[in-house]
Amino acid sequence: MVRISHILAADDDALTALNRLLPQLSSTAKVLEIADLQEIVSADTTLFLAYVDEVAVGTLSLIFYRTPSGLRSRIEDVVVDRSARGHGLGRALTRAAVDAARMRGARSIDLTSRPSRVAANELYKSEGFQLRESASYRLSL
């Protein structure tokens, strides 16, 4: 059974789950400490974990930020464990994020996804996300 949970407090179980999933998200991500997780859950970030049979197998971060034009949100750091892909967990996480953004009154949700992530891009399109004609830039600090 799939369960999506909103992480409200930093605890060892959530920390262990995130540290197990992080290498599948980024080869350069550093191991999180409990203080890092506390900072995440204390910020205006909604952190979700997806569980199958009480084992955390996916995560998504929904970030809220206010601009002069209103409350916005952004999906970041989505990963589903390789062993659990293809079973609707990405969709369940995305729907939880959309529901949370609607409940908070966000005007929109933005996300980026590499073109090579074909399944993820198809998922986002099927959930109503529209490809924007925009360049994405990054300045690494």
Side-chain angles (χ1 to χ4, degrees):
M1 176 168 181
V2 174
R3 176 174 62 91
I4 306 297
S5 178
H6 172 195
I7 304 306
L8 298 171
D11 63 38
D12 289 334
D13 290 340
L15 182 66
T16 299
L18 288 167
N19 280 326
R20 189 175 51 73
L21 291 165
L22 271 176
Q24 295 180 58
L25 176 68
S26 169
S27 61
T28 60
K30 295 181 174 127
V31 172
L32 293 173
E33 304 284 333
I34 198 74
D36 300 319
L37 183 53
Q38 181 59 47
E39 185 176 348
I40 292 166
V41 298
S42 297
D44 214 356
T45 300
T46 303
L47 181 63
F48 296 96
L49 281 174
Y51 295 85
V52 173
D53 298 328
E54 297 308 309
V55 175
V57 292
T59 187
L60 178 149
S61 297
L62 177 64
I63 297 123
F64 291 94
Y65 57 99
R66 186 162 296 282
T67 68
S69 62
L71 182 65
R72 307 285 181 165
S73 59
R74 178 166 193 80
I75 290 175
E76 290 285 349
D77 290 356
V78 180
V79 64
V80 173
D81 188 89
R82 286 178 186 91
S83 67
R85 290 180 187 161
H87 299 286
L89 294 165
R91 184 173 308 280
L93 285 163
T94 301
R95 286 181 177 174
V98 169
D99 289 346
R102 276 197 180 112
M103 287 186 0
R104 282 280 304 269
R107 292 186 53 168
S108 62
I109 303 174
D110 291 314
L111 61 82
T112 59
S113 184
R114 278 179 255 134
S116 63
R117 298 186 65 224
V118 175
N121 283 286
E122 289 303 315
L123 162 70
Y124 298 135
K125 288 178 196 172
S126 74
E127 289 297 317
F129 287 83
Q130 297 175 349
L131 184 62
R132 296 180 71 197
E133 299 231 1
S134 174
S136 179
Y137 296 91
R138 173 176 289 161
L139 174 63
S140 295
L141 303 174

